[in-house]
């Protein structure tokens, strides 16, 4: 992961990009979301953490470590999350970053395709401790597209990000030095043309009826009724999942 991060920094910098790295472990970033995140303490005991963190951001009384990360996000055109996959998700410290930092990144009327970050792009770049077959639709861990849905849709797309297909380093620890070098070279090559890539498909917000619990509108259901697969991994309409919809652009 450190090598993948270094490769990305070098490749993007060589293209003239300004790159800023948040090394959460080096920063000793706190994973737990607590009342210490609000300068001056909790405003209303009835409100949940999500409501408190949004209010603290609006009033400028948020902890400095959170504010600094939010400022980075506001400036960024592209955010890359580099991590080793833990328990089919991100490590606790990165999940804590998402919990604490992204509280300002959405509103009831600004989510998904209308999200606050709809003009920004994001992607996951991660390593696994098993070969690709283990995360296949017949593998013991199940389809990697299903694994990625909560992260790419429930977090990145929810905040409005346009999401590039993930960069997956399959089981690098078990490979040879040559295979790891090859993986990094593929990553560098991809980064040279990344901005020209299409992004992963997600159903737009206007497909859903706000007045009826954000269910698919009847006309949308009718439009896709004859399709062999559902819209996405999560919104599958009781049909087979669209193949590779979370790992390939435009699917």
């Amino acid at each position: 992961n450190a090598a993948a991060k270094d490769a990305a920094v070098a490749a993007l910098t060589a293209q003239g990009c300004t790159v800023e790295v948040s090394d959460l472990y080096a920063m000793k970033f706190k994973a737990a979301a607590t009342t210490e995140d609000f300068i001056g303490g909790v405003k209303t005991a009835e409100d949940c953490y999500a409501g408190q963190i949004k209010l603290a951001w609006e009033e400028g009384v948020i902890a400095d470590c959170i504010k600094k990360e939010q400022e980075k996000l506001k400036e960024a055109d592209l955010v890359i999350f580099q991590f080793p996959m833990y328990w089919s998700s991100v490590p606790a410290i990165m999940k804590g970053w998402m919990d604490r930092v992204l509280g300002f990144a959405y509103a009831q009327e600004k989510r998904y395709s209308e999200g606050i970050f709809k003009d920004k792009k994001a992607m996951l770049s991660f390593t696994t401790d098993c070969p690709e077959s283990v995360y296949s639709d017949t593998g013991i861990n199940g389809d990697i597209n299903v694994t990625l849905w909560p992260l790419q849709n429930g977090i990145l797309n929810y905040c409005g990000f346009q999401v590039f297909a993930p960069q997956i380093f399959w089981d690098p620890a078990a490979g040879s030095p040559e295979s790891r070098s090859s993986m990094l070279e593929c990553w560098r090559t991809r980064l040279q043309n990344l901005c020209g890539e299409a992004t992963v498909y997600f159903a737009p917000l206007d497909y859903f009826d706000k007045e009826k619990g954000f269910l698919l509108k009847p006309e949308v259901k009718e439009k896709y009724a004859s399709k062999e697969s559902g819209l996405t991994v999560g919104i599958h309409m009781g049909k087979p999942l669209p193949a590779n919809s979370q790992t390939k652009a435009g699917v």
Side-chain angles (χ1 to χ4, degrees), residues 3 7 13 22 32 44 55 69 89 96 117 128 134 144-145 153 158-159 162 164 169 173 199 201 205-206 223 238 244:
T13 301
S22 289
T44 57
L55 181 62
E69 295 305 295
S89 187
F117 290 157
T128 71
V134 175
I144 189 66
N145 292 275
N153 177 73
Y158 187 85
C159 294
Q162 300 171 58
F164 285 125
F169 299 89
T199 51
Y201 173 78
L205 188 63
D206 62 9
K223 177 181 178 182
N244 302 317

Side-chain angles (χ1 to χ4, degrees), residues 35-182:
T35 55
E36 294 176 1
D37 294 345
F38 321 120
I39 298 173
V42 174
K43 297 291 183 182
T44 57
E46 295 78 17
D47 208 351
C48 63
Y49 179 86
Q52 293 283 346
I53 202 73
K54 189 178 293 293
L55 181 62
W57 172 71
E58 291 171 351
E59 296 183 354
V61 291
I62 201 165
D64 191 54
C65 60
I66 298 176
K67 183 178 180 180
K68 287 179 179 177
E69 295 305 295
Q70 291 179 336
E71 291 299 325
K72 293 176 188 177
L73 277 179
K74 287 193 289 184
E75 291 296 321
D77 296 308
L78 166 66
V79 182
I80 300 175
F81 295 88
Q82 181 66 55
F83 60 95
M85 181 169 277
Y86 284 2
W87 296 105
S88 295
S89 187
V90 298
I93 196 168
M94 183 172 286
K95 182 55 167 61
W97 183 96
M98 293 170 172
D99 292 344
R100 299 176 68 212
V101 174
L102 293 178
F104 82 117
Y106 63 90
Q108 183 67 22
E109 68 284 0
K110 289 186 176 295
R111 297 179 292 166
Y112 296 111
S113 58
E114 297 302 318
I116 290 172
F117 290 157
K118 65 181 181 179
D119 295 323
K120 299 179 183 291
K121 294 182 170 66
M123 71 179 300
L124 306 179
S125 174
F126 60 91
T127 59
T128 71
D129 65 350
C130 55
E132 186 174 2
S133 59
V134 175
Y135 274 107
S136 68
D137 57 7
T138 56
I140 193 169
N141 282 4
D143 190 342
I144 189 66
N145 292 275
V146 176
T147 300
L148 292 175
W149 175 256
L151 293 172
Q152 296 194 151
N153 177 73
I155 298 176
L156 302 183
N157 181 45
Y158 187 85
C159 294
F161 283 113
Q162 300 171 58
V163 184
F164 285 125
Q167 183 73 19
I168 307 176
F169 299 89
W170 295 107
D171 202 10
S176 64
E178 291 76 19
S179 68
R180 287 190 288 273
S181 294
S182 178

Side-chain angles (χ1 to χ4, degrees), residues 232-245:
T232 62
V233 169
I235 306 155
H236 52 70
M237 304 168 63
K239 299 182 178 186
L241 304 187
N244 302 317
S245 68

Side-chain angles (χ1 to χ4, degrees), residues 198-225:
T199 51
V200 171
Y201 173 78
F202 297 99
L205 188 63
D206 62 9
Y207 272 21
F208 303 89
D209 191 331
K210 179 181 179 181
E211 304 303 320
K212 295 184 178 179
F214 286 100
L215 291 173
L216 275 177
K217 294 176 179 177
E219 59 269 29
V220 176
K221 290 183 69 175
E222 182 178 353
K223 177 181 178 182
Y224 287 92

